[in-house]
Amino acid sequence: MADNRQDTLRCDPPDPQQVMSIHTKKITDSCRDKDCIEDLRVYLTKGSQTLLDTAASARVRCAELLYTYIDVEPVAFDRNRYCIDVTFYYRILADATIGSNRPAALYGLAVFTKRAVLCGEDSHAHIFRSDTRLYEPDGRTRYYANRPTAVVEVLDPMVLSSKVREVCEDKGREDLTLQIPTAIGNLFDDELVQGGERRRLFVTLGQFSIIRLERDAQLVVPMLDYALPTKECCDAAGCAEDPCEMFSRIPFPASRFAPTGCDGCAAAQDTGGYKTCECKD
């Protein structure tokens, strides 16, 4: 039986206002989080660990997000929901005080893992592209072809506090060998220590993140015109805008020319970004 529905797409070259089909990412679900990551262990490099074992004190200076690994798995018995396991890798920079000398820099790695469960919508279609590359010959490419895509937006963490503890104080903690990806380990100029140390460095971080699930979608949208850039290209720094043009948009600071009262206060308000004095009681 023939399909009697009319196609909503129109192709009329003389008419710039048409209806066209586009391919984009549809956000099926999203969430935001504010994590306070307490007592996160820092795996120092060999040289840094040697300094920490003999240091009088140490304080974390800053933390930098190196990489985020994302894994998406369907929730059992609910094809619409997915578990997103996110692993954050941080480079930690600290200062160690040794005697009366200047603080020595310590470097290390900290790892934090979190999970979110979001709606990814059910899809039976397997999506392949011309740039798809096969994984191991066990069907993993086809296995992941109908899953949504997870996207994580995250800011560099804030260092809230840090502390140094003797290893004997951590006897109650379970020592697990951290599986460090080769690419992450290569970002440090020395091997990371995971055992045999006397002291351990811990840091508390504050982190803001947004996690969302996306699926491919085809939408029919009105097309008003093709998008063309209006800014001209320039090949030198500072040539993006004419300085006289920029100056012409600054309001005339009339209040700066008005006489002030005997108490030193101007009646006029701030104009054009020029700050006048404030009246005091």
Side-chain angles (χ1 to χ4, degrees), residues 23-268:
H23 177 268
T24 185
K25 292 286 188 180
K26 172 189 175 183
I27 299 177
T28 61
D29 201 2
S30 62
C31 64
R32 66 180 185 182
D33 223 340
K34 180 180 177 181
D35 294 300
C36 182
I37 313 166
E38 295 186 272
D39 291 346
L40 193 62
R41 181 179 170 183
V42 180
Y43 297 89
L44 298 172
T45 61
K46 279 188 174 181
S48 298
Q49 185 64 55
T50 301
L51 293 173
L52 179 66
D53 288 341
T54 58
S57 63
R59 180 180 62 86
V60 173
R61 187 194 311 172
C62 64
E64 174 193 5
L65 180 64
L66 293 176
Y67 183 71
T68 301
Y69 174 77
I70 308 170
D71 184 52
V72 180
E73 294 290 341
V75 176
F77 310 111
D78 190 349
R79 294 178 61 93
N80 284 324
R81 303 186 72 81
Y82 291 82
C83 284
I84 303 101
D85 291 307
V86 187
T87 303
F88 302 96
Y89 297 90
Y90 310 102
R91 186 204 308 271
I92 305 297
L93 174 62
D95 293 324
T97 303
I98 303 176
S100 59
N101 298 328
R102 292 181 56 187
L106 306 182
Y107 298 91
L109 173 72
V111 181
F112 171 61
T113 301
K114 66 175 298 179
R115 169 174 290 184
V117 179
L118 296 176
C119 175
E121 297 186 353
D122 189 13
S123 176
H124 297 280
H126 297 270
I127 301 176
F128 298 90
R129 298 179 176 84
S130 60
D131 57 355
T132 299
R133 296 293 179 265
L134 290 175
Y135 294 94
E136 300 84 356
D138 59 358
R140 286 176 60 87
T141 300
R142 183 179 183 278
Y143 185 62
Y144 285 98
N146 66 340
R147 294 190 182 180
T149 301
V151 178
V152 177
E153 299 182 30
V154 58
L155 303 178
D156 278 331
M158 302 169 56
V159 176
L160 303 179
S161 67
S162 61
K163 64 180 68 174
V164 177
R165 287 204 293 260
E166 301 288 337
V167 173
C168 59
E169 300 177 14
D170 280 346
K171 289 301 183 182
R173 293 174 175 254
E174 183 180 3
D175 288 336
L176 299 177
T177 301
L178 180 65
Q179 299 296 328
I180 303 175
T182 303
I184 298 297
N186 291 338
L187 297 176
F188 297 87
D189 56 3
D190 200 355
E191 182 181 352
L192 297 172
V193 176
Q194 298 195 49
E197 68 275 13
R198 290 176 46 200
R199 295 176 177 173
R200 290 174 179 173
L201 178 64
F202 295 86
V203 63
T204 298
L205 303 176
Q207 178 176 268
F208 297 93
S209 61
I210 296 176
I211 303 176
R212 66 176 182 267
L213 284 179
E214 300 177 344
R215 277 198 182 276
D216 288 357
Q218 294 186 22
L219 303 178
V220 176
V221 298
M223 185 188 72
L224 302 180
D225 201 351
Y226 285 101
L228 296 177
T230 57
K231 187 176 76 171
E232 296 183 358
C233 300
C234 66
D235 56 0
C239 69
E241 188 173 14
D242 182 79
C244 292
E245 174 66 22
M246 181 181 64
F247 180 73
S248 66
R249 295 197 299 270
I250 299 177
F252 191 86
S255 63
R256 303 287 290 181
F257 292 86
T260 60
C262 295
D263 58 353
C265 291

Side-chain angles (χ1 to χ4, degrees), residues 6-12 18-22 219-221:
Q6 294 183 352
D7 194 350
T8 57
L9 302 182
R10 293 188 291 108
C11 182
D12 186 6
Q18 305 180 37
V19 177
M20 66 185 309
S21 176
I22 65 169
L219 303 178
V220 176
V221 298

